[in-house]
Amino acid sequence: MKNLKIEKEYLKKIKLFQEYNKYYYDKSDPKVSDSKFDQLKKEIIDLENKYKYLNSKNSPSKTVGFTPSKNFKKVKHKTQMLSLSNAFGEEDLKNFEKKIRNFLSLSKDFELEYSAEPKIDGISASLTYKNGKFIMGLSRGDGKEGEDITENLKTIKDIPKIITAKNFPVEIDIRGEVFIQNSDFSKIKTKFANPRNAASGSLRQKDPKATSKIPLKFIAYTYGFAKNLSIKTQSSFLKNLKNWGFKTNEYNKTICGINNLIVNHNHLEKKRYEIDFDIDGIVYKINDIELQKRLGYVTNAPRWAIAHKFSANSSISEILNIEIQVGRTGALTPVAKIKPVKIGGVTVSNATLHNEDEITRKDIRVGDTATIERAGDVIPHVISVDLNKRKKNSQKFIFPKKCPSCGSSTVKEFNESTKRNDAVRRCSSEGFECDQISIEKIKHFVSKEALNIEGFGKKIVENFWELNLIKFPHDIFKLNYEKIKKLEGWGNLSVFNLKYAIDNKKKISLDKFIYSLGIRHIGQENAKLLARHLKSASNFFKLSLSKDIDELKNIDGIGSTQIKSILNFFSNQTNQKFLIELKNHLEITDTIQINQSGLLKNKNFMFTGKLEGISRAEAKSIIEQNSGKIISNVTKKLDYLIIGEKPTTKKINLAKELNIKILSQKEWLKMLD
Ligand code: IVH
């Protein structure tokens, strides 16, 4: 319920704040001390946090603390200040380069060189120098006409006022970014929404003295109008800038090839938080000035440059509920249902909380305000919760001690290798006795890496389960298609396609068959090792009955955990029935003896990122057919790291450190001729 007294008090504070604000920004004559100003702002925000109905549009939580002044003289730029088009990923970059190649009719092997410059998130300015003297500085304005902010710019130490270098043009507009460093921003944080606003606000102070109090910086990166400037490349221009006394970005680089642009992008995207100013992407410019000239412009952006943006990868949201999901191996995973929020262009409404220990450690509760991170294609996760925003009535989250699906007790297993209890709590029931585990086992069975049944997605598994059409993985071979045809969203054609997809996958290799069983600790690699050792399905089935698993001890890579797990699996009666069913429905092919003298002999490979037009599984099998080996960690043993779309930066960086060759998918395929 609204409390009128509180609302009145709140609005009074806002009115006072507006008054202070006017004096502070417009008149550059603060009425109160900075700390009093900040205190008032804090009081308003505290009230809003406490009483959610307080929501004035004039609140300092919504307005940026500065009003653009109408008092600056407008001046035309001699050369227009352009903007840049944006690229958000590899595809956009490829298109950008393709257009350039077409435009310039370049041959395929012509290597385009780029100047890659971190894009500082500040305010651009154009500085006019005549005969080596800084005579005028303009803001960007609308690109055609800017505000004359010369006096304010003069207060910035990084801007040289006189340049005596011999090769400095008689007249030139030097362009770059005015910004504030994060460490300086933290000292004046309460007055501005972010560093960019701080830079913008202080640049437009009516009184240059007010500007001089704020530690603004300037980094130069391009030029507008120029008389007597003779340069061949953007990178050499950047060098000149440095010699003339300007600051340039220490992370500027010259790079060839889209893949290398991406490697650099990934590297900087990680590093951006260590840099003392905000960067929101990387600007790529064709390095050759002649080519730049030939390429020219489209409307208000050059054809020869593009901004490769970083993805915003964290956001704040509210935890609406904490649900427990039961996985294929019985692991209980807590998942936060959050108020939907956009992170890096994707709407996120679920975020993993990993396990029970994680919740306890971070004391995560329903109703908390949380920071959610989404990095690449990894499942979004909760980083932290804001204890200041915690509701008074919030209660500690109690992790269920019974499986939410089947009610069995849950256990934390003792881990032999770490000599500790697992962080993960598991349902203690054996496989198919728990509904949720069964559903997950079916999903695994039809998944890409196992039987790879096209169109049999997770939603369909859940739907068919609900309708009692499937209870075990082998039920997919006995589907009642007549019944499915009548279901909503299904018709003759889709049923035909489903049946075709299933029939088509009845022939399966031994390793994929073993993997598809979903035995705990038997992933794709271990399944391959077992298949290589056992050679045929009949040997596998014999072993499942005899349970004489001693022979598995000789397999390099199979340890006691795996052996115990296999024995467990074979000892379960339901699993035995499951195996018999599969024996009847599938045609399991013997393990192919690998060609030991192929092109990739003695070479170890690893993939990161999504490959184009080929599944990981197929790519692995190509490598193995050519006598190469796939390994799962970046170590000295690795010979080649093959990168696809959205690769893992960590892997690339580690590979670079270890001097491991990094190949694009194309380069790798070239190796195979
Ligand atoms: S070049 C024609 N280089 O990005 C080239 N711009 O959206 C235009 N920016 O207004 C500018 N760092 O404020 C260039 N190294 C850099 C840059 C950069 C930041 C900003 C600049 C510009 C905006 C383009």
Side-chain angles (χ1 to χ4, degrees), residues 82-84 117-120 124 140 177 221 283 285 302 304:
L82 296 159
S83 56
L84 294 167
E117 307 164 17
K119 186 171 178 296
I120 303 171
S124 53
R140 182 177 185 276
E177 209 76 0
Y221 48 67
V283 182
K285 301 171 184 170
W304 45 266

Side-chain angles (χ1 to χ4, degrees), residues 392-446:
K392 264 200 188 135
N393 58 354
S394 100
Q395 283 180 358
K396 252 194 177 345
F397 180 76
I398 313 254
F399 207 88
K401 298 289 177 288
K402 293 241 178 311
C403 170
S405 169
C406 67
S408 303
S409 59
T410 57
V411 281
K412 279 187 162 198
E413 290 171 3
F414 183 74
N415 187 318
E416 287 294 342
S417 53
T418 60
K419 300 282 171 229
R420 276 204 207 157
N421 276 346
D422 266 348
V424 176
R425 190 172 276 282
R426 285 174 201 280
C427 166
S428 63
S429 85
E430 280 288 331
F432 292 111
E433 277 89 69
C434 172
D435 282 2
Q436 201 52 48
I437 294 181
S438 303
I439 294 172
E440 296 305 317
K441 274 178 176 282
I442 302 173
K443 286 181 190 168
H444 173 82
F445 187 68
V446 297

Side-chain angles (χ1 to χ4, degrees), residues 309-580:
K309 301 298 281 267
F310 292 140
S311 53
N313 54 6
S314 76
S315 232
I316 306 232
S317 182
E318 189 191 331
I319 298 181
L320 303 174
N321 197 10
I322 296 177
E323 287 182 7
I324 306 293
Q325 288 180 353
V326 184
R328 176 174 59 86
T329 59
L332 268 52
T333 307
V335 175
K337 296 277 158 187
I338 59 164
K339 217 178 191 175
V341 64
K342 272 216 158 172
I343 312 180
V346 175
T347 304
V348 175
S349 42
N350 295 320
T352 180
L353 296 163
H354 300 294
N355 53 51
E356 183 181 8
D357 283 9
E358 175 96 351
I359 296 192
T360 315
R361 198 161 47 80
K362 295 185 175 169
D363 187 19
I364 295 166
R365 305 180 183 190
V366 174
D368 274 354
T369 301
T371 303
I372 320 288
E373 189 182 68
R374 187 186 77 90
D377 38 15
V378 183
I379 303 167
H381 63 276
V382 174
I383 296 196
S384 59
V385 292
D386 187 343
L387 295 179
N388 292 323
K389 295 207 174 130
R390 174 161 287 168
K391 291 174 185 140
K392 264 200 188 135
N393 58 354
S394 100
Q395 283 180 358
K396 252 194 177 345
F397 180 76
I398 313 254
F399 207 88
K401 298 289 177 288
K402 293 241 178 311
C403 170
S405 169
C406 67
S408 303
S409 59
T410 57
V411 281
K412 279 187 162 198
E413 290 171 3
F414 183 74
N415 187 318
E416 287 294 342
S417 53
T418 60
K419 300 282 171 229
R420 276 204 207 157
N421 276 346
D422 266 348
V424 176
R425 190 172 276 282
R426 285 174 201 280
C427 166
S428 63
S429 85
E430 280 288 331
F432 292 111
E433 277 89 69
C434 172
D435 282 2
Q436 201 52 48
I437 294 181
S438 303
I439 294 172
E440 296 305 317
K441 274 178 176 282
I442 302 173
K443 286 181 190 168
H444 173 82
F445 187 68
V446 297
S447 72
K448 229 188 210 141
E449 294 76 19
L451 262 74
N452 189 16
I453 298 177
E454 259 162 68
F456 212 138
K458 292 180 179 179
K459 283 270 167 295
I460 297 182
V461 173
E462 281 164 18
N463 186 228
F464 284 6
W465 170 277
E466 284 292 320
L467 297 167
N468 267 322
L469 284 159
I470 44 174
K471 287 289 158 193
F472 293 95
H474 49 261
D475 289 340
I476 69 157
F477 302 116
K478 308 182 223 168
L479 282 174
N480 182 342
Y481 291 110
E482 287 312 311
K483 200 172 164 186
I484 297 171
K485 261 183 210 166
K486 289 180 198 130
L487 298 176
E488 208 190 303
W490 289 91
N492 280 339
L493 184 66
S494 48
V495 164
F496 174 85
N497 285 341
L498 180 70
K499 189 172 183 312
Y500 180 82
I502 294 172
D503 289 344
N504 210 13
K505 295 295 163 69
K506 283 187 174 167
K507 189 170 173 177
I508 187 172
S509 62
L510 180 60
D511 64 306
K512 284 203 172 172
F513 165 74
I514 297 175
Y515 173 74
S516 76
L517 300 174
I519 306 171
R520 208 170 145 205
H521 302 295
I522 306 297
Q524 283 173 288
E525 289 310 313
N526 287 337
K528 262 184 203 150
L529 294 175
L530 289 167
R532 231 171 260 169
H533 175 86
L534 292 164
K535 294 189 180 68
S536 70
S538 68
N539 285 340
F540 177 85
F541 287 117
K542 260 186 229 154
L543 183 75
S544 75
L545 294 172
S546 69
K547 299 185 202 70
D548 189 8
I549 49 157
D550 267 3
E551 61 165 311
L552 303 182
K553 286 182 182 153
N554 300 324
I555 308 176
D556 199 15
I558 299 284
S560 61
T561 313
Q562 286 75 19
I563 291 177
K564 228 163 110 184
S565 180
I566 295 168
L567 186 61
N568 252 346
F569 184 87
F570 288 158
S571 310
N572 180 289
Q573 280 316 301
T574 322
N575 286 340
Q576 283 297 343
K577 280 186 204 149
F578 169 41
L579 287 177
I580 293 169

